[in-house]
């Protein structure tokens, strides 16, 4: 067993988290269906899914540790490595590419000194190329945390990243869908 | 410009229509009480009569699918589940996100009605992992509807129970495929299951399960509210109703449009979607999400937007209605390499041809794009696609193969122009018609 | 019973049969990797793709196709050949192709099928994806993930058979990699089965790795003697030198599995403590001389102290035939001899039990001996033996196979002991006469497992040293005691047993069949004459 703790801390749930997990598990006829929700909770709590964290998740949902790791390894949003504080996930699939995704990626790359894992030395950013995020009509676009930043231009990217750097909480971006009016005018 | 129908999008222009009070002023949840007075079988019949075809991509008639749920005495005491497919991950498709964002009550109402129709007491909405913000909105809408007694136990005093839960994926295109989605819902890797058994007989937790797309659920609300005949006033005989199209690529007004099925495709692109940038010509269109075969401008000019016409004219499919428009600046070799990178990244890794073949096709296309390939590689590519198509567990294999087959077939010059010519391979070896006049290479056995 | 057609050949099969099995019954081999008759169907390798001629749509995989009336498939078409070739090509595109240094060579399905169905030129020009080489993941298993074809057999085995779930296919796409949770190891006792079911050289058996190229080995059927389950095995040997045991399929007993303790017990055949020669009071002598000495002692004891001073302990580790022949020999010469059965495990039994295969009773024939004892009607148990020893009336005790002294613990020893056994132990140490009993894999005979299933043994290898089957030693003893009329030879002894022990009525050694035969739980009221299978004199 891996006994080195996650980031030097012991991994465990709080009472409150345990209660939440029980509530989640009660939504499904089988406890192991709580796997993805619990992996998400673990990722929010611990930042990423180290081996000790995966063991905790496995124990929580009642599967062997190998299963928790297999599931985590399958899904791209579950972090198997630590990342920077802001993960810039730029879509590079066809529709976004047709509208300049590569230009946006090159622009971001030129702004910082990313290492081979896509992290900046200060731990602030991680740059990731991701596949289609269902925002193809408003590309190029990127996801940071939960938010979509759409119709990106180099200037818009500068503005967004400057916001992250300043540490000021940014206004939540309005999804393109909110602006969407074209076929509704008639 | 023709009047666009607005039956699924009727509340989209209303500010704050995602709030139940606003939505209810404009008809939301008005269908449910009437539906609960109908027998479940009657609802299924209405949906059958409407001719509604699943909007997730396969276009399977929704009412017919519901009819596959075994009757209670043949279920071994198992419950029935409804699962709403909100995974929306087919490149080029984003209409479900808009629908859930703009008017979540529309599809939620459809979910409750459909659950009642098929006898499900629990419905799960499976959203792709990136849709955390959409999920929040849907959860709020569920809470509002629950507070009003539309969701939960003993709905509106009818004795009918329907619980609705959201479930967030975690980043995997394949979870849009219904059996992979169910594996994921069960807490496993999102890998498709063997068919048979089909989900309607043995799905989530090995119980009968109906999987339907978000848009399908929204359409059910309208159909049950207005009747099958009213729905059939839209669309064509075999493709009744309206369809949400997601348009992206080289058009001036990309976005989501609700269309009356059967309208000319070229008109839609050139008018409704804003047409191309000035001075540009149309090169190609992928009409139904990245997986469907590509169409040439000539085919686009002859097709109307409905399931039959697209297939008859071009061999392609309406699919999810994710339309990707490419003008004459597009490098198709690069475009196809882009798509195959996507498929190579998203194969669930379960079955041999897809697991090994998608990566292989991508590696070849990467060399084609970079000018490090020969025409023999193109023949290999075509052959690999043929060896994957319909040899796999799920339809993903075909989804990766169809772009390769169709792009090579319809735009061979884009690829032959990028490779070193050995002369051993001709157009026929990539499935293309030899072009008039120019007869490069001819057919040989070398690439077999 | 559905009737299906395979390449035009009609076969009628049991309901629920899949088309790989149906084809097998029609004499058609459908190549496959992921399908295994004792694991759930996964359908992922796609090697078993066939054309559907009638009754379905094709091409489709035979392993997930249930036989139903009217279904007709073809495996001999160009299309099927193409599909197989293509699957082989896909499997090899990221395979290291390191056959010359792979221990699986000769038993690798990838290699076999490549020869048969593969194409012999390569267009695999692009770089290969590599995975982790040589990982030590269990006491018996080395994992080379680079060779894995992701068939998931081992995963399904860990989930469905051992239910320990250690093995998983991690990641997705062509980066799929088989492995265990980092830092953990396989914890179950069926590891050898993983090497058996892995169709390629990804999971190999450490114990066998590089010991012998498989093509030098001959396989002979036998039964494992390490517990009361009696898993069916193949004994793989090279001119009598045994290199491994492998489970042999028996759906009624061990399916396709066996435990690692049994698997490794082949080493006991050539172990240091094997009793290879006969020993009398004067030291090593020939078997016949020791038997003669023992017979003289038996005669003397019976004459001087009465029949009751001579005893026999039946052996739960010896065959039905050894037990019956010994019992018959002694009862013929010394009708009043006392007979006992001491149940229990010997100190050399392994300390592990589960509800999969490994039985708590570590003796292969307890059930058989019990039935013999029951039929005899005068067999005492351990308590009776203790009492008989305590009062000193029992002077000469013959012990068959079991370490009876160890089983009894503190007990007054008889004046003289004779031990007929295979391995040295406390009883053999204390014995005045020791007779070398051949091991189960070396003899003709049968065991009755805990289910009451009589399973046939045939000599897989020659008996080691001077050792002999129990019935042969018993016949020798009988002869030395002046009893010549008793049947000799396993078939004859079994025939006699079946005629006298009601649970065995109607059975014959040759008629036991591949799955063995169950004894009668409720003995038939009338005696059924067993068929005479004795070889003609
Ligand atoms: C590779 C693949 C991806 C798919 N992705 C989606 C998807 O993102 N959303 C969706 O609704 N259906 C998707 N489908 C179709 C579903 O399998 C299923 O047919 C659909 O959800 C059924 O709902 P419907 O009948 O309402 O269309 C996908 C199918 C395949 C083969
Ligand atoms: S076709 Fe691809 S995605 Fe579908 S099961 Fe096979 S490997 Fe997975
Ligand atoms: S290690 Fe062997 S048994 Fe396991 S998946 Fe790979 S090839 Fe199959
Ligand atoms: S292609 Fe970028 S969001 Fe779809
Ligand atoms: S044996 Fe049928 S797919 Fe593997």
């Amino acid at each position: 067993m891996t006994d080195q703790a996650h980031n030097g801390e012991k991994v465990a749930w709080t009472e409150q988290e345990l209660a939440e997990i029980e509530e989640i598990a009660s939504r499904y006829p089988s406890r192991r269906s709580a796997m993805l929700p619990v992996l998400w909770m673990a990722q929010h709590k611990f930042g990423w899914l180290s081996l000790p964290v995966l063991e905790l998740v496995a124990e929580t949902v009642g599967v062997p540790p190998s299963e928790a790791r297999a599931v985590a390894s399958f899904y791209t949003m579950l972090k198997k490595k630590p990342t920077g504080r802001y993960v810039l996930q730029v879509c590079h699939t066809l529709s976004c590419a047709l509208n300049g995704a590569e230009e946006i990626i090159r622009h971001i790359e030129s702004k910082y000194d990313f290492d081979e894992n896509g992290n900046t030395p200060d731990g602030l950013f991680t740059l990731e190329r991701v596949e289609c995020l269902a925002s193809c009509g408003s590309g190029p676009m990127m996801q940071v945390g939960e938010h979509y930043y759409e119709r990106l231009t180099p200037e818009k990217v500068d503005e967004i990243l400057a916001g992250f750097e300043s540490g000021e909480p940014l206004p939540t971006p309005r999804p393109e869908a909110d602006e969407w009016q074209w076929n509704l005018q008639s | 410009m023709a009047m666009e129908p607005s039956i699924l999008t009727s509340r989209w222009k209303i500010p704050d229509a995602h709030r139940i009070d606003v939505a209810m002023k404009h008809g939301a949840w008005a269908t449910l009480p009437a539906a609960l007075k109908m027998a479940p079988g009657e609802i299924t019949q209405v949906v059958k009569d409407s001719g509604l075809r699943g909007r997730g991509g396969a276009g399977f008639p929704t009412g017919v699918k519901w009819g596959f749920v075994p009757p209670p005495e043949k279920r071994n005491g198992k419950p029935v589940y409804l699962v709403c497919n909100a995974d929306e991950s087919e490149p080029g498709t984003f209409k479900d996100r808009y629908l859930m964002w703009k008017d979540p009550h529309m599809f939620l109402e459809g979910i409750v009605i459909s659950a009642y129709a098929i006898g499900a007491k629990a419905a799960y909405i499976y959203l792709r992992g990136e849709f955390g913000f959409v999920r929040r909105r849907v959860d709020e809408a569920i809470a509002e509807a629950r507070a009003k007694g539309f969701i939960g136990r003993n709905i509106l005093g009818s004795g009918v129970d329907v619980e609705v839960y959201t479930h967030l994926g975690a980043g995997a295109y394949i979870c849009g495929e219904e059996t992979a989605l169910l594996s994921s819902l069960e807490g496993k890797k999102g890998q498709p299951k063997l068919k048979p058994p089909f989900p309607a007989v043995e799905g989530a937790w090995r119980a009968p399960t109906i999987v339907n797309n978000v848009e399908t659920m929204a359409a059910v609300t309208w159909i049950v509210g207005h009747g099958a005949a009213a729905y059939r006033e839209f669309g064509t005989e075999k493709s009744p109703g309206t369809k949400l199209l997601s348009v992206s690529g080289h058009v001036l007004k990309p976005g989501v449009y609700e269309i009356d099925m059967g309208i000319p495709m070229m008109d839609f692109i050139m008018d409704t979607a804003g047409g191309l940038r000035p001075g540009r010509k149309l090169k190609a269109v992928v009409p139904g999400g990245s997986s469907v075969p590509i169409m040439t401008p000539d085919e686009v000019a002859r097709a109307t937007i409905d399931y039959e016409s697209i297939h008859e004219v071009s061999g392609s499919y309406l699919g999810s209605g994710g339309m990707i428009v490419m003008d004459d600046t597009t490098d198709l070799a690069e475009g196809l390499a882009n798509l195959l990178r996507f498929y190579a990244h998203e194969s669930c890794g379960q079955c041999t041809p897809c697991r090994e073949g998608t990566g292989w096709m991508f590696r070849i296309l990467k060399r084609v794009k970079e000018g490090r390939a020969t025409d023999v590689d193109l023949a290999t590519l075509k052959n690999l696609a043929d060896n994957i198509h319909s040899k796999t567990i799920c339809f993903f294999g075909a989804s990766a193969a169809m772009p390769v087959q169709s792009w090579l077939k319809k735009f061979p010059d884009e690829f032959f122009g990028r490779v070193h010519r050995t002369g051993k391979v001709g157009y026929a070896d990539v499935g293309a018609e030899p072009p008039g006049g120019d007869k490069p290479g001819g057919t040989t056995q070398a690439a077999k | 019973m559905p009737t299906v057609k395979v390449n035009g050949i009609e076969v009628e099969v049991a309901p629920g049969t899949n088309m790989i099995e149906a084809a097998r019954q029609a004499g058609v081999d459908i190549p496959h990797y992921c399908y295994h008759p004792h694991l759930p169907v996964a359908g992922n390798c796609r090697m078993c793709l066939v054309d559907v001629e009638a009754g379905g749509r094709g091409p489709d995989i035979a392993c997930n196709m249930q036989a139903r009336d009217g279904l007709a498939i073809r495996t001999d078409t160009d299309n099927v050949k193409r599909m197989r070739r293509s699957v082989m090509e896909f499997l090899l595109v990221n395979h290291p192709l390191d056959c010359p240094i792979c221990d699986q060579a000769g038993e690798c399905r990838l290699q076999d099928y490549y020869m048969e169905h593969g194409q012999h030129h390569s267009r695999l020009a692009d770089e290969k994806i590599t995975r982790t080489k040589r990982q030590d993941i269990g006491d018996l298993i080395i994992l080379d993930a680079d060779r894995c074809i992701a068939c998931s057999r081992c995963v399904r085995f860990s989930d469905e058979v051992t239910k320990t779930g250690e093995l998983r296919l991690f990641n997705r796409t062509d980066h799929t990699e088989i492995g265990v949770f980092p830092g953990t190891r396989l914890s179950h006792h069926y590891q050898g089965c993983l090497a058996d079911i892995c169709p390629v050289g990804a999971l190999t058996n450490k114990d066998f790795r590089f010991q012998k190229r498989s093509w030098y080995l001959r396989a002979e059927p036998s039964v494992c003697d390490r517990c009361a389950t009696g898993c069916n095995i193949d004994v793989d040997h090279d001119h009598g030198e045994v290199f491994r045991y492998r489970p042999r399929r028996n759906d009624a007993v061990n399916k396709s599995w066996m435990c690692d303790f049994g698997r490794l017990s082949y080493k006991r055949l050539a172990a240091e403590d094997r009793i290879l020669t006969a020993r009398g009071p004067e030291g090593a002598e020939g078997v016949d001389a020791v038997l003669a000495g023992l017979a003289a002692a038996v005669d003397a004891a019976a004459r001087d102290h009465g029949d009751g001073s001579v005893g026999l302990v039946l052996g739960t580790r010896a065959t039905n035939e050894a037990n019956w022949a010994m019992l018959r020999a002694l009862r013929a010469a010394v009708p009043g001899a006392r007979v006992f059965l001491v149940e229990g495990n010997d100190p050399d039994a392994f300390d592990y039990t589960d509800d999969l295969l490994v039985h708590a009773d570590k003796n292969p024939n307890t059930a058989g001996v019990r039935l013999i004892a029951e039929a005899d009607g005068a067999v005492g148990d351990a308590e009776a033996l203790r009492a008989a020893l305590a009062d000193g009336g029992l002077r000469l005790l013959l012990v068959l196979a079991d370490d009876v002294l160890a089983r009894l613990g503190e007990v007054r020893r008889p004046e003289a002991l004779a031990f007929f056994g295979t391995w040295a132990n406390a009883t053999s140490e204390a014995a005045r006469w020791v007779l070398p009993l051949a091991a189960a894999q070396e003899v003709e005979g049968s065991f009755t497992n805990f289910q009451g299933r009589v399973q046939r043994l045939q000599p897989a290898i020659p008996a080691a040293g001077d050792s002999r089957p129990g019935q042969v030693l018993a016949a020798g003893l009988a002869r030395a005691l002046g009893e010549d009329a008793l049947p000799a030879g396993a078939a004859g002894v079994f025939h006699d047993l079946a005629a006298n022990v009601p649970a065995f009525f109607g059975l014959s050694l040759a008629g036991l069949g591949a799955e063995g035969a169950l004894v009668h739980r409720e003995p038939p009221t009338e005696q059924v004459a067993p068929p005479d299978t004795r070889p003609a004199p």
Side-chain angles (χ1 to χ4, degrees), chain A residues 90-97 101 130-141 148, chain B residues 90-94 128 248 324:
Chain A
V90 188
C91 169
H92 66 158
T93 312
L94 186 58
S95 298
C96 285
V130 299
E131 301 294 351
C132 181
L133 295 178
S135 183
C136 326
S138 30
M141 62 81 64
Y148 276 17
Chain B
E90 174 81 4
T93 316
F94 44 100
R128 62 180 296 175
S248 65
I324 305 169

Side-chain angles (χ1 to χ4, degrees), chain B residues 174 192 346-351 354-355 392-397:
Chain B
I174 191 59
E346 299 297 337
S347 165
C348 88
Q350 191 176 199
C351 66
C354 171
R355 178 183 66 242
T392 52
I393 291 181
C394 85
F395 208 69
F396 180 103

Side-chain angles (χ1 to χ4, degrees), chain B residues 260-276:
Chain B
D260 193 354
M261 276 202 272
I263 63 169
M265 188 179 283
M266 192 64 97
D267 292 356
F268 172 76
I269 293 169
M270 293 306 171
D271 301 337
T272 315
L276 307 175

Side-chain angles (χ1 to χ4, degrees), chain B residues 53 55 235-241 243 245 259-265 287 295 302-314 316-319 323:
Chain B
R53 297 169 62 166
R55 301 305 195 215
T236 67
E237 169 66 26
K238 286 187 174 155
S239 300
K243 175 86 191 82
L245 297 187
I259 60 133
D260 193 354
M261 276 202 272
I263 63 169
M265 188 179 283
M295 293 172 76
R302 287 186 286 132
T304 56
I305 306 180
D306 53 85
Y307 294 99
E308 286 67 37
S309 168
I310 292 178
H311 191 62
E312 275 157 28
V313 168
S314 70
S316 189
Y317 303 96
L318 178 55
M323 186 179 282

Side-chain angles (χ1 to χ4, degrees), chain B residues 29-94:
Chain B
W29 297 105
T31 306
L32 180 65
L36 291 174
K37 295 204 176 74
M38 296 164 75
E42 282 178 78
I43 299 178
T44 304
Q45 195 55 47
V46 172
V47 174
K48 266 188 198 160
D49 293 344
S50 76
L52 172 65
R53 297 169 62 166
R55 301 305 195 215
F60 193 83
T62 305
V64 176
K65 179 149 78 182
W66 292 3
F68 294 153
V69 174
E73 66 275 12
K74 290 202 183 143
R75 283 184 212 146
N76 300 322
K78 298 247 185 191
V80 180
Y81 295 107
L82 176 66
V83 174
C84 178
N85 189 340
D87 190 65
E88 187 153 73
S89 37
E90 174 81 4
T93 316
F94 44 100

Side-chain angles (χ1 to χ4, degrees), chain C residues 409-481:
Chain C
E410 281 299 300
V411 74
R412 178 165 167 193
R413 306 225 165 157
E415 252 162 52
L417 252 178
F419 182 63
F420 294 68
T422 313
W423 294 280
N425 57 26
T427 309
S428 70
E429 300 277 288
R432 187 173 296 172
W433 301 273
V434 175
L435 278 308
L437 183 68
Q441 291 73 25
E442 299 164 346
V443 304
E444 184 83 35
S446 64
F447 283 144
T448 307
N449 81 353
F450 77 94
Q451 302 164 313
R453 186 173 297 278
V454 190
Q455 305 200 88
R456 189 172 182 190
L457 297 166
Q458 286 170 288
I461 51 167
D466 274 350
S467 69
R468 321 256 155 107
Q471 63 273 15
V472 173
L473 293 175
L477 180 64
R479 246 177 281 117
L481 288 165

